[in-house]
Amino acid sequence: DIVMTQSPDSLAVSLGERATINCKSSQSVLYSSNNENYLAWYQQKPGQPPKLLIYWASTRESGVPDRFSGSGSGTDFTLTISALQAEDVAVYYCQQYYSTPYSFGQGTKLEIK
Amino acid sequence: EVQLVEAGGGLVQPGGSLRLSCAASGFAFSTYSMNWVRQAPGKGLEWVSFISRPGSPVYYADSVKGRFTISRDNAKNSLYLQMNSLRAEDTAVYYCARQTYRYGSDNYFDSWGQGTLVTVSS
């Protein structure tokens, strides 16, 4: 089974500043036949279901602001928010969909400093 | 507009059973694999089960294998989760989630329902 580990567990960033969340998988989620990383990022605000932000490690879902970006390959990935807005306060999860059991990171709680 | 609406949650005693449903609308339900994902109070997301477009194959997390059964009725645009032998640790909000398909495989979860709360307690 693939274990996903995020860091940090919580993060406080000033408005307008950059926020960076890391995600590490216990084995590679890069599929060699198509050169795609089977890694997604979700945002969850209190009382709401998760919302897809990024898939294939770096492709933004339609409607997601371009201040959100994803990077990385293989086992190490990063979600970056280039200039934090108040509405970005949420918990962020990475997920691998390379193989079942699908697995999520433990979540990173992002707050305003 | 894609809509997923879960129902069937509630309070159940340990050892009891419950059947969750997820009504889908706004898309061709039969062309998507579906999943259940749960979230215990104050905790993170845990994948529970997968069902492919025609209804087989299905997969389960080890924590629910042998106790939960996922199924679907494509004619009714509905997904189900039969939960038996419930335990306190099954207490969670249960979400149904649609899974995209590309490159010949099932991929990320692009739409989620609002969830239904299951509480297992005496």
Side-chain angles (χ1 to χ4, degrees), chain B residues 74-89:
Chain B
N74 286 339
K76 295 183 177 180
N77 293 334
S78 294
L79 173 72
Y80 305 100
L81 187 67
Q82 177 67 43
M83 304 185 296
N84 298 331
S85 303
L86 282 161
R87 306 166 180 167
E89 53 265 36

Side-chain angles (χ1 to χ4, degrees), chain A residues 44 93, chain B residues 37-41 43-46 91-95:
Chain A
Q44 187 179 33
Y93 295 93
Chain B
V37 177
R38 69 184 180 183
Q39 186 170 35
K43 303 298 184 182
L45 301 171
E46 179 189 15
T91 295
V93 173
Y94 285 73
Y95 297 102

